[in-house]
Amino acid sequence: MPTPKTQPDANSREPRTGGRRPRFGSRRPAPLWYALLVVLVLLVVQAYFLVPSTQTIPYSQFKSLLQQGQVTEAVVGDETITGTLKPEDGKTAPRQFQTTRIDDPKLVEELDAAHVKYSGAAANHWLPDLLGWFLPLAVFVGIWLFFLRRMSGAQGGVMSFARSKAKIYAEDDVKVSFADVAGIDEAEDELREIVDFLKHPAKYTSLGGRIPKGVLLVGPPGTGKTLLARAVAGEAKVPFFSLSGSEFVEMFVGVGAARVRDLFAQAEVKAPCIVFIDELDALGKVRVPGAFGGHEEREQTLNQLLAEMDGFDPRKGVIIMAATNRPEVLDPALLRPGRFDRQVLVDKPDARGREAILAIHTRQVRLAEDVDLKIVAARTVGFAGADLANLVNEAALLAARRDRKAVDMAAFEEAIDRLVAGLEKKRVMSPKERRIVAYHESGHALVATSVPGLDPVHKISIVQRGFGALGYTMQLPVEERYLMTRADLLGQLAVLLGGRSAEEVAFGEISTGAQNDLQRATDIARAMVTEYGMSDALGTVSFENGHRSRFLEVGMPPERGAYSEETARLIDAEVKRLVGEAHQRARDILTADRARLDLLSARLLEKEVLEGEELRALLGLPEAGPSAASPAPLG
Ligand code: ADP
Ligand code: MG
Ligand code: ZN
């Protein structure tokens, strides 16, 4: 039975395990600091105390004293006059005076007349100068030392105020038990052994068995790893020390390592107990030898953790648990025997598991008669425990908003729809919208296949990508093109209008989905007329100044050249004609090929993405291979 030891004092926290010591741990610069301090104090004392007390008097009084013959000595400086007065009656000590000098051309004559011993003063600025230099320097040195102290303080040094931050809070009475966990039965079973060990350590150690030191919980986010670790502590009724990996990694070198030491020192006192490091990957990433700066702190912390784990006697009854959802980035040293050698997989729950988790989280929720958790579980494929907890909450909120007496199935259905949409990070399109998009994209693809000389269609998709794009048709160029013929450009125009045309052919109605297509088509048509001289009506004349980097590239429109209003109207008419003709061409192609348009759209609706062999078969394209990659005939 491990007996609690007394709290170790600062000295015993020396690295008994031989972990690397931080570089800035020493307090060697202190003598320098004291020397500077002494110099400063001396200067201040000299400036303000050793100098005899000086009376500051107005200039007029100085003049009258001078005329009365009271002044014995005077030092005339640039800005001030200082000097000595005769001692007061009955005293021997001469008095010092100081006055602000004003412009007085007769001063010297009067000093002579009064027989004063006078001299000019070379401005005596050394003291202010020195202070001007010295004070900022002292401040900087002070700040520097402050940070050094902070770091050494974290080492358990004299000024250990950083230690208070490293204070780790142990939860003594964890209320979570295995009854609060469901759907991860295998993981739970593996951990029951740990619970038993924590409850009766003697039973295990007396037989000389090796007790696991570290248990690593591995699994996707939200599957209940943190929950499970707490449940182990709750079941075994032992204190639970928990820290997140990112909390160890501090800005100052050495602090993280000090925290690890602190954590283990405290855990030893409280044994039997559980030390839980959440998000181990934050500090346990693979160490990069000779990495440029930056990782020093994390690696030191990791080294300290490894050292502590090695130096720890498991019979003391401290179990180290950790959780990660990225085991692949962990430093292999962490997974070696004697460290986190036991790994427990915490996976997403299956349908039965989801039902059980839902049952746990609906314990406090008033459910309507019609709620069947089995059906909810069946509809939530891919949900982790945290998602399910969230779902129950969402359903309860929805029901409350509708003033229902209890949470009914409709609320669950709606909550599922919301969460699914949120989980897939996309807004779900309505069936009608999906049909329109499917026809639109099929239209692009069919026109592109029917017009000779264009790049073959590679992929069609109606899966929303990012913001705005509802679907896309991808043409892969068979070769890098430096030139495009007029026929190529006209064909490209038809392809761009294929989407809009398909909507017209299939639904007799048009949508806003073609906006970007029309913009690009107009751009091309205008460039054909005004830049490439491809319009018979306007002739082979360029109407633009400057030039595009390459055709079809969307960017800033070129400057408008100098041409008449008449020409401008002609250009507009020509652009309109080109786009209009392309539109008609696309419509003709799709009307003639209506059967294939329907077929392609139906298949796209069903599969969402078409590519490869299947797409080629549907479009009647040749097999993939060298022949398909040969240059398409131009013109
Ligand atoms: P992880 O640490 O794996 O990311 P958490 O343990 O933080 O996941 O889970 C977050 C919350 O989700 C928990 O507090 C609990 O309410 C719920 N939860 C997750 N998994 C389960 C589970 N298997 N059984 C019951 N509740 C769960
Ligand atoms: Mg967690
Ligand atoms: Zn389109």
Side-chain angles (χ1 to χ4, degrees):
M1 184 77 192
T3 48
K5 286 205 289 184
T6 50
Q7 173 77 40
D9 63 11
N11 291 336
S12 78
R13 293 166 73 256
E14 283 300 291
R16 64 199 131 88
T17 45
R20 261 207 280 163
R21 304 211 56 191
R23 281 186 293 184
F24 297 118
S26 86
R27 291 186 299 280
R28 225 176 303 125
L32 171 67
W33 171 232
Y34 288 130
L36 290 173
L37 194 72
V38 166
V39 170
L40 178 67
V41 167
L42 284 179
L43 284 172
V44 170
V45 165
Q46 191 207 1
Y48 294 101
F49 299 106
L50 294 185
V51 173
S53 65
T54 302
Q55 215 184 336
T56 303
I57 56 175
Y59 195 74
S60 58
Q61 196 188 341
F62 162 68
K63 288 295 280 265
S64 66
L65 285 168
L66 184 63
Q67 277 149 19
Q68 290 161 23
Q70 293 284 324
V71 180
T72 53
E73 282 177 37
V75 178
V76 182
D78 278 346
E79 283 159 9
T80 58
I81 300 169
T82 56
T84 319
L85 299 176
K86 279 188 182 148
E88 276 178 286
D89 296 334
K91 291 184 185 164
T92 49
R95 291 168 294 158
Q96 300 287 328
F97 75 91
Q98 177 173 31
T99 188
T100 307
R101 182 182 170 178
I102 57 177
D103 197 21
D104 184 355
K106 296 244 176 68
L107 179 63
V108 175
E109 278 173 40
E110 287 177 41
L111 287 169
D112 281 336
H115 303 291
V116 174
K117 208 166 99 191
Y118 66 89
S119 59
N124 189 0
H125 287 322
W126 70 272
L127 186 61
D129 273 1
L130 190 69
L131 283 178
W133 276 96
F134 184 79
L135 274 180
L137 188 72
V139 167
F140 278 121
V141 170
I143 290 172
W144 174 55
L145 286 171
F146 173 79
F147 281 110
L148 283 185
R149 286 303 177 83
R150 256 192 85 111
M151 290 166 199
S152 58
Q155 294 300 300
V158 182
M159 296 169 68
S160 66
F161 50 88
R163 232 201 108 181
S164 58
K165 268 185 77 188
K167 196 95 195 145
I168 290 131
Y169 159 78
E171 220 176 318
D172 278 325
D173 186 15
V174 182
K175 293 272 189 285
V176 183
S177 73
F178 281 150
D180 300 308
V181 186
I184 40 178
D185 297 337
E186 285 122 74
E188 218 179 289
D189 286 343
E190 286 202 53
L191 292 175
R192 277 188 198 283
E193 189 195 356
I194 305 286
V195 172
D196 198 44
F197 163 70
L198 285 166
K199 274 182 166 168
H200 320 284
K203 187 172 96 184
Y204 290 81
T205 49
S206 63
L207 297 178
R210 203 171 71 93
I211 285 97
K213 227 187 244 181
V215 180
L216 181 62
L217 303 175
V218 180
T223 46
K225 298 182 291 297
T226 310
L227 183 73
L228 201 54
R230 289 167 54 83
V232 171
E235 286 283 330
K237 298 195 172 49
V238 297
F240 184 68
F241 288 91
S242 117
L243 252 170
S244 156
S246 53
E247 282 173 65
F248 279 116
V249 183
E250 272 268 339
M251 194 168 90
F252 297 114
V253 174
V255 173
R259 281 193 184 180
V260 172
R261 258 201 305 275
D262 237 39
L263 176 63
F264 279 81
Q266 290 189 38
E268 207 169 337
V269 175
K270 288 246 185 183
C273 66
I274 288 179
V275 172
F276 178 60
I277 303 170
D278 213 344
E279 292 155 47
L280 181 67
D281 41 282
L283 91 96
K285 263 183 255 167
V286 178
R287 285 164 294 182
V288 191
F292 182 71
H295 302 301
E296 187 74 11
E297 162 66 359
R298 192 173 55 76
E299 291 187 7
Q300 252 181 43
T301 310
L302 177 55
N303 287 341
Q304 188 64 41
L305 177 67
L306 295 174
E308 292 286 351
M309 286 190 82
D310 288 343
F312 224 85
D313 185 350
R315 279 166 303 188
K316 290 210 175 84
V318 178
I319 298 277
I320 303 146
M321 295 181 77
T324 181
N325 46 33
R326 303 165 66 204
E328 69 282 354
V329 304
L330 289 182
D331 195 305
L334 273 170
L335 308 177
R336 258 181 232 137
R339 292 168 183 167
F340 291 109
D341 47 1
R342 171 111 27 132
Q343 288 163 37
V344 175
L345 182 65
V346 184
D347 219 341
K348 286 194 177 176
D350 59 8
R352 256 189 49 234
R354 289 198 297 275
E355 194 185 334
I357 295 173
L358 283 168
I360 287 175
H361 287 281
T362 50
R363 280 193 298 217
Q364 314 285 347
V365 176
R366 197 183 308 151
L367 291 180
E369 296 278 289
D370 67 339
V371 174
D372 186 348
L373 292 182
K374 207 182 217 63
I375 295 177
V376 177
R379 284 211 47 202
T380 46
V381 179
F383 276 45
D387 303 325
L388 292 168
N390 195 9
L391 170 70
V392 172
N393 189 46
E394 190 87 354
L397 291 179
L398 279 171
R401 207 175 302 153
R402 307 248 152 85
D403 297 321
R404 301 277 154 77
K405 292 268 176 298
V407 185
D408 55 8
M409 201 61 183
F412 270 104
E413 297 281 352
E414 196 177 335
I416 291 172
D417 288 343
R418 281 189 185 195
L419 284 182
V420 167
L423 285 179
E424 293 177 7
K425 292 261 190 305
K426 63 181 182 188
R427 196 183 70 81
V428 183
M429 279 188 279
S430 76
K432 189 174 162 225
E433 284 172 322
R434 271 165 51 93
R435 254 170 71 80
I436 293 176
V437 174
Y439 268 94
H440 180 106
E441 297 304 331
S442 301
H444 283 310
L446 270 183
V447 175
T449 316
S450 308
V451 174
L454 291 184
D455 299 329
V457 178
H458 178 72
K459 181 177 179 179
I460 323 175
S461 163
I462 58 167
V463 176
Q464 269 177 287
R465 267 205 322 190
F467 192 73
L470 299 176
Y472 59 95
T473 301
M474 210 160 87
Q475 286 174 273
L476 259 200
V478 284
E479 57 179 340
E480 184 93 18
R481 294 192 187 201
Y482 296 100
L483 281 176
M484 275 183 104
T485 62
R486 174 148 77 174
D488 292 339
L489 288 173
L490 289 174
Q492 200 61 55
L493 281 183
V495 171
L496 283 168
L497 286 151
R500 157 66 54 96
S501 305
E503 293 176 35
E504 287 170 339
V505 169
F507 306 107
E509 175 63 295
I510 51 182
S511 76
T512 55
Q515 188 244 0
N516 182 250
D517 297 336
L518 296 184
Q519 202 175 323
R520 281 169 61 197
T522 311
D523 229 38
I524 292 177
R526 184 167 289 275
M528 287 173 70
V529 175
T530 62
E531 291 174 58
Y532 308 133
M534 287 179 177
S535 153
D536 296 332
L538 283 139
T540 43
V541 179
S542 172
F543 294 98
E544 306 293 352
N545 291 332
H547 50 87
R548 293 172 185 245
S549 52
R550 250 180 96 190
F551 49 68
L552 304 190
E553 250 170 86
V554 191
M556 292 292 290
E559 267 176 65
R560 184 187 190 270
Y563 48 77
S564 65
E565 286 304 312
E566 172 72 29
T567 311
R569 217 170 295 133
L570 253 176
I571 291 173
D572 287 341
E574 274 296 279
V575 170
K576 200 170 163 201
R577 182 182 65 83
L578 286 173
V579 175
E581 281 174 12
H583 189 187
Q584 190 56 50
R585 185 176 176 192
R587 220 166 12 201
D588 289 346
I589 290 171
L590 294 174
T591 312
D593 217 356
R594 177 67 200 262
R596 257 202 318 166
L597 179 63
D598 290 340
L599 180 70
L600 197 59
S601 311
R603 194 65 68 86
L604 194 54
L605 265 179
E606 174 197 336
K607 306 201 82 165
E608 300 204 328
V609 178
L610 287 176
E611 58 188 328
E613 232 25 80
E614 185 175 13
L615 179 64
R616 276 191 287 274
L618 278 168
L619 292 174
L621 290 172
E623 294 251 322
S627 61
S630 66
L634 294 179

